[in-house]
Amino acid sequence: MWRLVVVDDDFHILQGFKKAIMWEKFGIEWVGEAENGQDGYELIAREKPDIVLTDIYMPQLNGLDMIDRLRAEGIEAKYIVLSGYSDFEYARKALRLNVSDYLSKPITLDDLKQVLGKVLDELNEEVENRQELTTLSQKISMYEPFVQKQWLRALISGSTDPVIFAQLPDAFEDWDQQRHFVMAVELLRTPRIRNASLQDWHLFRFGIGNIINELLAQHWPESQCIEIQSSHIMIVLHEPEAVPEHTSVDQIAALGHEIVRCMDTYLKLQVRIGIGGSRLSWREISSSAEEAFQVLATEGSLSESVKFFSVIEQKRTEGRLNLEQLETGPVKFFQILADSLRYMQLDQGRQTAKDFFRQFDNVHVDDGYVRNLGMQLWAVLGYALNDLDDFIQDMYMKIDIQKEMENMYRTQQLEEWLLGKLDQLYGNRSTNENPRHKEAVEFMIQYIHEHYAEDITLETLANKIFISRNYLNKIFKKTTGETFMNYLIRVRMEKAELLLLQGKWMIYEVAEQVGYSIPSYFSTVFKKYTGKNPSDLMKDREVVSDDVCDI
């Protein structure tokens, strides 16, 4: 309810106002009255009402001076001024104070109700405007990280949009005084990945991101990590220019090997890492990214988990491709191709492929690069399928990619092969999938993995993305194969199991870290999910070093 204070030195007028109008029907609460300007000032300063009805001529302090003092102290309200005299100077001062209305006594109840109605409309409109501003501010705050990620993605992939290079976002203002490296992390398509369910695939993706982000936070805070396609994560590493480059190279190599080790230890996944050369200008970060990708597309790197472009460059032969010859490098091509396939835009995917391979006309590329580029493309296709569903996984699995790459010598052959595979794998798929539904589910999954320790409800997420709770649960289950609540519990239990195996926390501490305030209930859910009590798991765990994932 709106709060009202009345200030008038006429006791009968005060009582008349109080009894003549049923204030509750107007949504107004009478919170107090005063019989002089000084008492009125103190009452209003204390109660901070929304509406003030005040006389002008009063002892100690007149109504207009009272309003002036209150305004000077930042106490705002809707001030309605009453006067029993026709004084032009008072009317002019009231106008200067921007009062809501100026009424001459005697006034009728109809006049007062009409003025109150106008004031209430103004108050309600102001509330709506504040709510809209709050909502807009929340949306801007929510989307700011997304905008930064999109900017970084465009920068890494070599966007030609001049807006990208016009100015650094505020969050990255230190880049002008730093040296930059790009590390490309490729998830190898091992049997564990090929046989994973859609639900496990989502967990793998977030598990990989969590491990990398934890390592970066501990060992290289000046960095950004972004998924280019499902199979590749790009890490931009920054170092002050004063740090010797050879020192940075040694530290980056150690970080790369630690990422490989942690992926194998905690997720049983294999990754391969390529590292581009350093750049003093952030505008050249895409060049380092392309170099990192070229390392992954080099035959000699298959046997090594971490490798620098400088090593590849030293071994470069006359026939090897020079990245500077390409207008669109592999990073940007893979990103556009994967996005086209995820959103079932097959025609765009085909045209993207044709445009990419057209760059190789009259350019000699060695056989090894062609075959490894083909392997990279095959991984992109597979991971794009994982992002959608497992509808054609059997068809994908039956194709022997190693055998098909044996006789691949020219980029023209590779282009024809890729276009054929796009038709074979995607040509018969339904195009009725709603991209907005996919984006909503991806937002939910990301939110769960980032906020699983909080009190998350489906209603909370439904309000964030403006989709009804029941319909949101329906599309979530259709996409992931399980309900929102089951997915949330699974994420929490997977995280709890990792924490318990580390042996650093008591059971009640683990329970709190994964969103359960009652340890006994957590233990019940954990046993139902894993088949073991948390205490049994802690007893059975292998003795591991407390210094997890140290470089």
Side-chain angles (χ1 to χ4, degrees):
M1 297 181 71
W2 300 110
R3 294 157 54 81
L4 169 75
V5 163
V6 178
V7 185
D8 198 303
D9 62 343
D10 189 327
F11 174 79
H12 298 291
I13 290 180
L14 284 176
Q15 294 305 309
F17 279 152
K18 195 169 188 179
K19 296 177 180 178
I21 295 177
M22 298 185 68
W23 298 99
E24 293 82 2
K25 286 189 175 181
F26 281 87
I28 296 174
E29 176 189 1
W30 181 295
V31 295
E33 68 272 356
E35 295 184 15
N36 64 70
Q38 182 61 38
D39 289 346
Y41 163 78
E42 294 173 0
L43 174 64
I44 294 167
R46 182 175 67 252
E47 295 294 337
K48 294 182 175 57
D50 304 292
I51 305 170
V52 173
L53 193 61
T54 182
D55 191 11
I56 290 182
Y57 291 100
M58 293 182 295
Q60 299 187 34
L61 188 68
N62 72 52
L64 295 181
D65 290 340
M66 178 190 73
I67 294 172
D68 203 7
R69 284 179 58 183
L70 289 166
R71 283 265 172 81
E73 295 180 18
I75 300 173
E76 295 294 340
K78 295 296 181 183
Y79 295 100
I80 302 172
V81 175
L82 309 175
S83 176
Y85 302 89
S86 298
D87 191 319
F88 176 74
E89 285 301 320
Y90 279 126
R92 187 169 67 175
K93 185 173 183 180
L95 183 64
R96 180 177 61 80
L97 290 172
N98 194 29
V99 300
S100 294
D101 219 316
Y102 186 96
L103 300 175
S104 296
K105 295 179 180 179
I107 60 173
T108 66
L109 286 179
D110 287 341
D111 289 338
L112 183 56
K113 288 178 180 179
Q114 183 178 356
V115 170
L116 286 172
K118 185 192 77 169
V119 167
L120 291 174
D121 287 342
E122 291 175 358
L123 286 169
N124 288 324
E125 184 178 357
E126 288 173 4
V127 168
E128 290 178 5
N129 290 337
R130 284 197 298 271
Q131 289 175 340
E132 288 179 4
L133 287 173
T134 300
T135 301
L136 180 60
S137 177
Q138 290 172 344
K139 287 183 177 180
I140 291 173
S141 176
M142 182 176 69
Y143 287 118
E144 186 174 2
F146 173 78
V147 171
Q148 289 177 1
K149 283 187 176 181
Q150 292 299 97
W151 180 88
L152 184 59
R153 188 189 305 274
L155 179 69
I156 289 173
S157 62
S159 171
T160 57
D161 187 345
V163 174
I164 299 298
F165 300 97
Q167 184 177 356
L168 275 170
D170 293 340
F172 307 139
E173 61 183 1
D174 294 335
W175 284 15
D176 276 327
Q177 290 79 43
Q178 294 175 323
R179 181 187 293 113
H180 317 282
F181 295 83
V182 176
M183 175 186 289
V185 182
E186 178 185 14
L187 178 60
L188 299 182
R189 199 170 178 81
T190 60
R192 179 167 168 77
I193 289 293
R194 291 197 297 269
N195 298 327
S197 66
L198 184 61
Q199 298 94 319
D200 288 336
W201 168 236
H202 286 306
L203 286 174
F204 283 152
R205 286 176 62 184
F206 282 98
I208 291 168
N210 286 340
I211 286 177
I212 291 177
N213 284 319
E214 286 178 10
L215 286 172
L216 292 177
Q218 183 178 359
H219 301 295
W220 212 295
E222 289 293 320
S223 60
Q224 290 79 36
C225 173
I226 189 165
E227 186 181 83
I228 295 295
Q229 312 97 35
S230 303
S231 57
H232 294 86
I233 290 176
M234 307 299 281
I235 303 171
V236 186
L237 304 167
H238 313 281
E239 191 85 302
E241 294 179 10
V243 176
E245 185 167 346
H246 66 85
T247 302
S248 299
V249 167
D250 292 342
Q251 293 173 343
I252 292 171
L255 174 63
H257 286 293
E258 191 63 9
I259 290 174
V260 172
R261 188 184 73 80
C262 287
M263 294 297 174
D264 181 50
T265 301
Y266 298 105
L267 296 179
K268 307 301 180 188
L269 299 177
Q270 295 180 28
V271 298
R272 203 159 53 103
I273 293 176
I275 303 159
S278 69
R279 295 296 189 277
L280 290 177
S281 170
W282 60 268
R283 292 178 173 84
E284 298 176 357
I285 282 177
S286 62
S287 297
S288 182
E290 293 292 356
E291 290 174 355
F293 250 78
Q294 190 174 14
V295 174
L296 298 179
T298 302
E299 240 173 350
S301 70
L302 291 173
S303 59
E304 300 179 57
S305 57
V306 179
K307 200 160 191 176
F308 284 81
F309 177 76
S310 56
V311 176
I312 302 298
E313 185 71 5
Q314 291 171 4
K315 298 178 181 179
R316 173 173 289 188
T317 64
E318 185 177 348
R320 188 174 297 280
L321 174 68
N322 188 338
L323 286 172
E324 283 72 18
Q325 296 174 261
L326 299 181
E327 181 178 344
T328 301
V331 176
K332 187 174 183 179
F333 170 51
F334 289 165
Q335 178 190 337
I336 297 173
L337 179 63
D339 287 344
S340 298
L341 299 181
R342 288 192 191 101
Y343 289 95
M344 298 310 301
Q345 297 170 335
L346 183 58
D347 289 342
Q348 179 178 318
R350 289 175 59 85
Q351 188 59 50
T352 298
K354 291 178 180 178
D355 292 342
F356 175 74
F357 282 105
R358 189 175 298 121
Q359 300 176 111
F360 295 93
D361 292 347
N362 303 318
V363 176
H364 176 71
V365 182
D366 62 66
D367 303 350
Y369 186 89
V370 173
R371 285 190 290 272
N372 280 282
L373 186 59
M375 297 293 290
Q376 296 267 315
L377 286 168
W378 188 241
V380 170
L381 293 181
Y383 286 111
L385 289 177
N386 278 349
D387 280 348
L388 292 170
D389 56 46
D390 55 3
F391 182 70
I392 53 176
Q393 286 295 309
D394 288 342
M395 185 189 307
Y396 181 90
M397 294 287 292
K398 290 175 182 178
I399 297 174
D400 187 344
I401 185 61
Q402 295 284 357
K403 186 175 182 180
E404 295 203 8
M405 287 295 113
E406 284 179 1
N407 298 317
M408 197 70 62
Y409 304 110
R410 295 177 292 110
T411 54
Q412 184 179 359
Q413 284 179 285
L414 189 58
E415 177 183 3
E416 294 171 356
W417 171 86
L418 175 60
L419 295 177
K421 286 295 180 283
L422 291 180
D423 289 337
Q424 181 181 354
L425 294 174
Y426 286 84
N428 296 322
R429 281 188 54 82
S430 167
T431 58
N432 294 326
E433 297 174 4
N434 189 329
R436 293 186 63 189
H437 290 175
K438 179 177 180 293
E439 290 175 356
V441 173
E442 286 186 345
F443 171 80
M444 293 173 69
I445 290 172
Q446 181 173 348
Y447 193 90
I448 289 171
H449 283 270
E450 292 177 352
H451 301 272
Y452 60 83
E454 302 171 14
D455 183 19
I456 306 175
T457 66
L458 189 59
E459 188 76 31
T460 301
L461 293 178
N463 290 336
K464 287 182 178 295
I465 54 182
F466 308 104
I467 297 178
S468 72
R469 181 172 58 85
N470 291 336
Y471 189 61
L472 191 58
N473 197 40
K474 180 180 178 181
I475 62 175
F476 185 87
K477 185 174 182 181
K478 181 180 178 182
T479 301
T480 65
E482 53 187 327
T483 64
F484 162 79
M485 186 52 64
N486 287 342
Y487 189 89
L488 174 61
I489 292 173
R490 191 154 72 93
V491 170
R492 284 173 166 172
M493 294 305 103
E494 294 277 358
K495 184 65 175 178
E497 190 169 9
L498 288 174
L499 294 173
L500 289 168
L501 286 172
Q502 291 183 30
K504 294 183 178 180
W505 298 277
M506 303 294 289
I507 292 175
Y508 77 89
E509 292 175 317
V510 172
E512 290 177 352
Q513 289 185 58
V514 297
Y516 292 90
S517 58
I518 304 175
S520 59
Y521 179 63
F522 162 73
S523 297
T524 300
V525 176
F526 187 87
K527 184 175 182 181
K528 182 178 180 182
Y529 180 82
T530 66
K532 287 187 176 184
N533 287 315
S535 56
D536 294 335
L537 185 67
M538 294 181 72
K539 291 176 184 177
D540 296 343
R541 71 181 180 84
E542 297 180 358
V543 178
V544 295
S545 169
D546 287 340
D547 196 11
V548 178
C549 290
D550 281 341
I551 289 181

